[in-house]
């Protein structure tokens, strides 16, 4: 279901470059419609646990390495592959696996879950075009790493 487990270095570079764009561009678009700060999380979520001052090495490892590997194998590997193997179109596999991906992120507000859905579509398109789950894993890792870096810069501006 995951496709070939090897790919051309060009695809890895494409994933590394497009990953941050796949996550950050939809975030910027949706945030331009949101009038209040803190729109990303549901009201019952304690946002302090995501604040850079509370990060540990374990948190960074999970956010940048573990979550992208597990989520991409589950959603762009197993789910996407199983949907296509059952005879549905790649477009249906992209949409259904991206919906499942979005609904696995219930800590986010509906607007932020839409961002996650759009990101899932981008990762799934990379999976389809590259023929492997490795490319969306790299894209997801670089996306999450960039989000952490931008959050850290935002809370620790240079003086």
């Amino acid at each position: 279901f995951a496709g070939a487990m090897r790919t051309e270095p060009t695809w890895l570079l494409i994933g590394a470059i497009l990953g941050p764009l796949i996550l950050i561009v939809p975030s910027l678009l949706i945030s331009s419609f949101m009038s209040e700060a803190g729109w990303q999380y549901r009201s019952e979520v304690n946002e302090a646990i995501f604040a850079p001052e509370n990060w540990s090495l374990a948190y960074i490892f999970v956010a940048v390495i573990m979550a992208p590997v597990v989520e991409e194998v589950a959603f762009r590997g197993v789910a996407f592959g199983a949907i296509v193997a059952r005879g549905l179109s790649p477009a249906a596999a992209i949409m259904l696996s991206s919906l499942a991906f979005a609904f696995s992120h219930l800590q986010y507000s509906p607007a932020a879950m839409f961002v996650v859905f759009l990101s899932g579509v981008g990762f799934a398109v990379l999976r389809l075009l590259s023929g492997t789950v490795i490319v969306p894993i790299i894209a997801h890792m670089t996306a999450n790493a960039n989000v952490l870096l931008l959050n850290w810069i935002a809370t620790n501006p240079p003086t």
Side-chain angles (χ1 to χ4, degrees), residues 30-77:
I30 299 299
S31 70
S32 69
F33 295 106
M34 305 309 289
S35 60
E36 59 198 52
W39 64 270
Q40 298 92 337
Y41 297 100
R42 293 186 178 278
S43 59
E44 60 272 6
V45 172
N46 181 359
E47 293 180 41
I49 64 174
F50 303 109
E53 61 270 13
N54 295 323
W55 293 350
S56 64
L57 286 177
Y59 176 86
I60 295 168
F61 177 77
V62 168
V64 175
I65 307 287
M66 290 302 300
V69 169
V70 170
E71 290 176 349
E72 294 308 316
V73 167
F75 296 106
R76 261 57 72 180

Side-chain angles (χ1 to χ4, degrees), residues 9 14 39-40 43 45 51 56-57 83 86 88 113 125 130 156:
I14 289 169
W39 64 270
Q40 298 92 337
S43 59
V45 172
S56 64
L57 286 177
I83 292 166
R86 294 207 186 291
L88 274 76
M113 285 176 65
V125 168
S130 70
N156 299 288

